Amino acid sequence: MKNYILAAALVGGLTSVSVLAQSTPTLQTSRDTRIGWIELDKGFPSKDAVTKLYDELDFQRACQAYIWALPIVGFAEWQSSAAENLGAGSLDYVLYNNYRDKLGILTPNGSTPYILGFPNLAETGPLVVEVPAGPSGGGVLDFWQRPITDTGFAGPDKGEGAKYLILPPDAPDIEAEGYRTFRSPTVNIFVGTRALDPDPAAAEAWIQQLRLYPYAKRDNPPETRILSPEGREWSQVPPRGLAYWERLSDIINREPVAERDRFFMAMLAPLGIEKGKPFQPDERQRQLLEEATFVGESMAMAISYDKRTEGARYRPDANWQYVIMLDPSQESEFFTQLDERADYFYEAVTTTKGMVSKTPGVGQAYLGAYELAADGSRFDGGKNYRLRVPPDAPAKQFWSVTLYDVDTRSFIVTPEGIPDRSSRMDLLKNDDGSVDIYMGPTAPAGYEKNWIPTAPGRGWFTLFRLYAPTEAYFDKSWPLPSIELLE
């Protein structure tokens, strides 16, 4: 062997065998880490270390899978709750028309009626979504909450009404005159709209013209039912604990797996969640998943309530932040927007192109405030605050301020049942045209019309909405001051 090495050295023109000497690499040794002591034995992880590493590996993957799954779990939970609690099927709409109806929706507005459905295209086949002419804003979304098409003012119909034909993922193409045809990448879809006519009677008449029916029955379409919660309990808020993963397992077994999600599906498999198999976790998996739900949700809270995305602040002189920091497609140049998606879908639901339109006078704009600008303290339901809305708000239609419970991300719950104030209401104005909105457990004397009650012992955050925002919003020339604590 030595002669072979020497010969090789001479062939290579080396004059010294010493240059071939191989130094022994330093053996990695045991060390303390953020997950505790990792013991290595002759370079191998010990059996105790292997157990710890597998637990941490699966736990970390579950935390990230929680964040990844937020959009589809939110829609799947809503579909299930609407079916089980409200009796809604694939061809039904549910009308959420008041404070009580909307409790359970992530950050709903309090100003306009929602009319929403969750068709299963495996049941309906190609589906017709008939939207009447009139002031509305809505869309059809896949179950990852990506827009298939806007409808209404921001959609192709521009408020003039249309018949939208939605094809299932694997259905053959259909060329249908008189229909606007789109294909869904998911089997289950969301169909929703908001009636924007300020006249309740006109809005109700418009709602009654909405239609959902299979394309195969277009010549004699069945009646579209429009249901109402009528005081029944329901919720679309993603569940906690093991129920989160039960909902995820159910929906991934009813949907195709997108190429971008295959790694996440691989992460879920060792945790007992696998397409084509029932979810039957063992005790170890149950413990990891339940803890990961808490940690994953806490991570989503941090992403949503303490945004670190560049450009999140509306203006440097106040602490209002953009609520939607993602492209509706959820894609950027080099990656799918995982954190941006978690930021939005932890606290809200649905996106359409109209919701991020940069065209003045179209769509909506959303700003959020999560803490007091003066010292960074969180909004406290036991304290009183004031927001001064400057005059000439840049909204072609109207603006609104809505308060939400931090824990549920739905309307703040108080005996008064008043979650919002808007420019559509008869608010008291200051001499310069500005409007003071008061938030707190007690109404300020003489300003009851401008007051949003809060619940002592509960934290809250707020969204400021502009409907059909105008140029002063986009160029940021209109200031929106920070919320102030009242002594």
Side-chain angles (χ1 to χ4, degrees), residues 95-97 102 109-115 131-139 150-155 157-159 192-207 210 352 354-355 361-366 396-400 422 424 465-469:
L95 169 62
Y96 305 90
N97 200 27
K102 295 177 183 177
N109 75 59
S111 307
T112 62
Y114 288 117
I115 313 93
V131 180
S136 70
D150 282 64
T151 64
F153 281 153
D157 65 282
K158 307 296 183 185
T193 188
R194 287 162 296 185
L196 298 178
D197 197 307
D199 179 359
E204 174 62 21
W206 181 87
I207 290 168
L210 290 166
T352 65
M355 294 169 69
V362 174
Q364 307 89 44
Y366 305 82
K396 186 177 178 181
Q397 294 171 357
F398 66 99
W399 57 261
S400 69
S422 80
R424 279 185 167 181
R465 288 176 169 87
L466 296 162
Y467 287 85

Side-chain angles (χ1 to χ4, degrees), residues 201-217:
E204 174 62 21
W206 181 87
I207 290 168
Q208 294 304 318
Q209 299 177 66
L210 290 166
R211 296 288 182 268
L212 275 179
Y213 52 88
Y215 178 73
K217 298 182 179 181

Side-chain angles (χ1 to χ4, degrees), residues 289-300:
L289 288 169
E290 288 179 355
E291 184 179 358
T293 311
F294 175 80
V295 175
E297 182 178 357
S298 298
M299 290 175 174

Side-chain angles (χ1 to χ4, degrees), residues 394-461:
K396 186 177 178 181
Q397 294 171 357
F398 66 99
W399 57 261
S400 69
V401 182
T402 313
L403 267 56
Y404 303 99
D405 185 277
V406 167
D407 187 62
T408 67
R409 292 96 74 203
S410 193
F411 285 147
I412 193 165
V413 177
T414 62
E416 296 81 5
I418 301 172
D420 74 324
R421 295 296 181 184
S422 80
S423 60
R424 279 185 167 181
M425 299 176 179
D426 181 23
L427 304 178
L428 294 174
K429 294 183 179 181
N430 301 318
D431 291 341
D432 64 354
S434 63
V435 176
D436 289 336
I437 302 296
Y438 294 90
M439 304 88 110
T442 56
Y447 283 87
E448 290 81 1
K449 290 182 176 181
N450 295 32
W451 172 55
I452 305 175
T454 60
R458 310 276 305 188
W460 56 267
F461 66 96

